[in-house]
Amino acid sequence: MAQKLKFEEKTIVPNSFYHITIMMLYSFLEYVRSRRFFILLLITIAIGMLLTGVVAYYRPQSFLVSEQSFYANWWGETVTFIIILSAVFFGGDAISGEFQNKTGYFLVGNPIRRSSIYLGKFLAAFCGALIMLLVFTAMTIGNGLYYFGGVTNLFWESLSFSVLYLATAIGMTFFFSSIFKTNSTAIVVTIILMLFVFSLMQSLVANLAHYEPWFIVTYGAQIINNVLMNPYPPSTQTTAAPLPHGQSITVTSYNATVPEGLIIMIGYFIVSLVTGLILFEHKEFN
Amino acid sequence: MTLPSLEAINLTKKYGSFTALSKLNLKLEGSKCVGFLGPNGAGKTTTLKIFTDMIRPTGGMALINGIDVNKEKKKALKSVGVLIETPEIYGSLSAREALSMIAEIKGISRASVRKSVEDVSELVKMKGLLNQKIKKMSKGMKQRINIAAAILGNPEIVILDEPTSGLDPRGMSEVRDIIKDLKKENRLIFMSSHLLSEVSEICDDVAMINHGKLLAYGPIEKIVEKFSKVGAVEVEVNLFRPVTGDTIDRLRNIKGVRSVKKVDSKTVLLQVIGGLKGQEEVLSRLVRIKLGIVGFKQSSSALEETYLSMFKETV
């Protein structure tokens, strides 16, 4: 190779905000071209199609009694699942992959703060997951318009809570992904926690300990569905369930109010994002 | 103009009870290539990773151009090209996109990104494959892109950890040529390698490390002379006339030549004392006595012999 170096650039290292946008742009490209993006898109569309088919064929009363109940049943029950799935798909290995796949070696040695890499990737994952949410939103609204000719204002409220929950869920998956160095561990732990452990803990704390599970994120996320209920469920509700031989059991259910739900989700978002960032800052490429 | 520099001051890295680096003190300065040698686990990659913020030191400082990389990373690494181990690149990006990302991170202006990317990819013979997705590339092709990324922005310091790893012989030769080209301008290259012939060919100085401690640092011929068993540098001399008994006798009588060994009909190995100056004197005498000398170069095995004698006890 006889060719001589001929390039002569003068470089001025950009500020961290610009670095974040660079990382976001290229990570987003990586996300949207990945196979998992198309798989998730197919899953989201399949869920929407399934609901469309079921409602069109069986015409369930619970869905079609009112516009609000339609959105509560269609959206409220399903969207949290799509959010968690999207968060896991895009965030599960976002940070652990930098170590296991060695992509971090390509980036970290450059004049860029690790926090810029982390935040850029977070925003890219959020944008990718937002596409899924918007696809499902479009299918929901399409059906809502078909059956009721409009969209209740409460739906927009619920949608905004969903966007917040999406950011929180991705923040949490990034946090778990920062703890582990292998992708499979990060993804499995995130799925188990987000889909099962939090819900289980919430039930146990509320029903057995009779304590409001205000510290569990899935409890806060209930406002996505609750806001579509008419009337909004009371914050504490005690009901006596009959048992054989004339006995009964008292069941207490708790519902976060909208401000409580927002505080819980924002709290989780901030704590998980900051702790994940700190973990990534101090993690070593061994 | 200040010279590019890398400096380790009492650099220490511990993993529990294991000490990977033990108060390493090393200062590299100026436009040259420094080979970083040592057996596996000696602390080479640990040192390079500390200089590139991939790991944090337990103690001490890693300074690049006088700036602590641990405290002011962006400032310290602003004119540094880095290739540590064999990095992977986001597979869905094309080579052009991957290099553009690094170019933008390094601060190459948007207007120059395209040209810079094309220039470096031409150097590593990847210009025709710039639009190919990384995931469809072989290990060797990816390593070329990694090298291109490291030299983007024309850095004044280049840190390379086994840069020819994963390349075929032709690729290795091309990378060596790139590094030689990089040396020509005011640039400091710090390169670890297990290929001693590669280090002999490219580097001016070597730093030898073992058990996290610096054993030696200096120009190759001085290290070879100081640490080789015979205390001399081995020089290969090629003649266009056949080597006879008389030729060997005449060579033995040259001042500064400690011993002479016939390699083949037209090649001899001389053990020369007196460092570079000694070599220069021997060469001028060789020319003067008209033996028909057509080649005179330090044996590439000299460094290897020195290395082996220094690290013979290391498993």
Side-chain angles (χ1 to χ4, degrees), chain B residues 10-53:
Chain B
N10 288 328
L11 203 58
T12 304
K13 181 65 186 175
K14 288 181 181 175
Y15 295 100
S17 59
F18 174 71
T19 303
L21 273 185
S22 178
K23 294 189 175 176
L24 179 77
N25 285 293
L26 174 66
K27 184 169 186 179
L28 318 176
E29 193 173 37
S31 171
K32 59 185 167 187
C33 177
V34 180
F36 200 26
L37 303 178
N40 289 329
K44 301 186 298 292
T45 302
T46 301
T47 307
L48 300 185
K49 282 183 176 177
I50 290 174
F51 271 109
T52 52
D53 184 48

Side-chain angles (χ1 to χ4, degrees), chain A residues 1 3 5 7 9 14 18-19 26 30 33 98 101-103 108 112 114 281 284-286, chain B residues 13 15 49 53-54 56 73-74 85 88 90 92 97 104-105 110 116 123 154 177 181-182:
Chain A
M1 188 180 296
Q3 191 194 347
L5 283 169
F7 46 95
E9 303 96 347
Y18 186 68
H19 272 158
Y26 288 100
E30 170 73 4
R33 288 173 184 168
E98 295 293 332
N101 305 336
K102 286 191 154 193
T103 46
V108 170
I112 180 171
R114 289 192 188 197
E281 284 277 359
E284 301 198 327
F285 285 83
N286 290 316
Chain B
K13 181 65 186 175
Y15 295 100
K49 282 183 176 177
D53 184 48
M54 291 189 183
R56 300 258 154 84
K73 177 190 174 177
K74 276 176 78 174
E85 295 190 359
E88 284 295 327
Y90 295 148
S92 298
E97 287 163 344
E104 288 181 48
I105 286 172
R110 277 195 173 266
S116 300
L123 266 170
N154 212 6
D177 286 342
D181 263 352
L182 286 169

Side-chain angles (χ1 to χ4, degrees), chain B residues 192-204:
Chain B
S192 84
S193 176
H194 281 298
L195 301 172
L196 299 170
S197 56
E198 184 174 276
V199 172
S200 291
E201 188 185 335
I202 303 172
C203 296
D204 310 289

